[in-house]
Amino acid sequence: MTAIAVQAQRLLGPRRPHRCFFESFIRTLIIVCAALAVVLSSVSICDGHWLLAEDRLFGLWHFCTTSNQTGPHCLRDLSQSHVPGLAVGMGLARSVSTLAVVAAIFGLELLMVSQVCEDLHSRRKWALGSVFLLISFVLSSGGLLSFVILLRNQVTLIGFTLMFWCQFTASFLFFLNAISGLHINSITHPWGQPRKF
């Protein structure tokens, strides 16, 4: 068989079914929302000031005291906040929250690669990326919960700062995107298999 005949056979052979617009749109939306969650979580953790209680500002990295006469006075030594177990517990909270962002970045990368390089393993990459986002949700929720438990005596609903709510929103988006990603992967037809009517 000549090279021209082989090329003609490839062109006339069965083509892989393409995804519909709605499926592509949903998958793109999941990727965009996951990227937004990564940005929100990263900014929240880098800033780290999550709770304002009277004249004290508690964060993942610093403990600050404020007064009207002087500006905020911040200390890295969290043991000086006179909250028992805060230094050790906050180290755990920031480690878990940071690992959540790392896992989310890996998940986001797998989601994007599965859409850009479509092959037989694209669905598996998408599912793995969604699982990474689910792991991110568990880790970021653990970080939030440990922060709230450590400072349970100082916590008030209006005391939480914008950065805390950014982390809370990011955690919710990790969960929402992970579940949506796994769900759309389970209800759509595999791309490499012919459809049966």
Side-chain angles (χ1 to χ4, degrees):
M1 191 178 276
T2 64
I4 295 173
V6 170
Q7 290 292 341
Q9 187 177 15
R10 280 185 190 166
L11 290 173
L12 297 173
R15 292 183 177 181
R16 188 176 62 183
H18 291 285
R19 289 174 289 153
C20 68
F21 169 77
F22 186 69
E23 181 185 348
S24 298
F25 176 73
I26 294 296
R27 288 180 187 268
T28 304
L29 199 60
I30 289 170
I31 289 172
V32 169
C33 289
L36 177 65
V38 168
V39 170
L40 282 174
S41 187
S42 300
V43 169
S44 176
I45 291 167
C46 287
D47 179 79
H49 297 120
W50 285 4
L51 180 68
L52 182 63
E54 296 173 354
D55 61 341
R56 295 184 296 174
L57 183 62
F58 294 96
L60 293 177
W61 311 96
H62 304 286
F63 162 71
C64 301
T65 55
T66 58
S67 63
N68 293 336
Q69 290 79 19
T70 61
H73 177 64
C74 296
L75 302 167
R76 280 187 174 273
D77 186 8
L78 297 173
S79 60
Q80 293 186 20
S81 64
H82 306 297
V83 177
L86 187 66
V88 176
M90 209 56 79
L92 178 66
R94 64 176 167 248
S95 299
V96 168
S97 299
T98 306
L99 280 174
V101 175
V102 172
I105 289 170
F106 278 118
L108 182 61
E109 185 178 349
L110 282 167
L111 293 180
M112 289 191 295
V113 166
S114 73
Q115 298 306 289
V116 173
C117 308
E118 292 183 21
D119 56 13
L120 295 175
H121 303 292
S122 291
R123 290 175 60 81
R124 193 173 300 149
K125 289 175 192 170
W126 179 271
L128 189 58
S130 299
V131 168
F132 267 111
L133 287 181
L134 201 56
I135 292 168
S136 297
F137 161 71
V138 171
L139 291 171
S140 63
S141 298
L144 283 168
L145 260 157
S146 57
F147 181 86
V148 172
I149 290 168
L150 282 168
L151 297 167
R152 61 190 173 275
N153 296 328
Q154 285 80 19
V155 165
T156 59
L157 195 58
I158 60 169
F160 289 123
T161 64
L162 181 62
M163 289 299 110
F164 176 87
W165 293 114
C166 283
Q167 181 67 10
F168 182 84
T169 304
S171 181
F172 176 71
L173 284 174
F174 287 145
F175 173 75
L176 195 63
N177 292 316
I179 296 302
S180 301
L182 291 170
H183 182 64
I184 197 168
N185 220 33
S186 67
I187 63 172
T188 54
H189 193 79
W191 304 329
Q193 296 179 6
R195 295 181 184 272
K196 293 179 182 178
F197 294 100

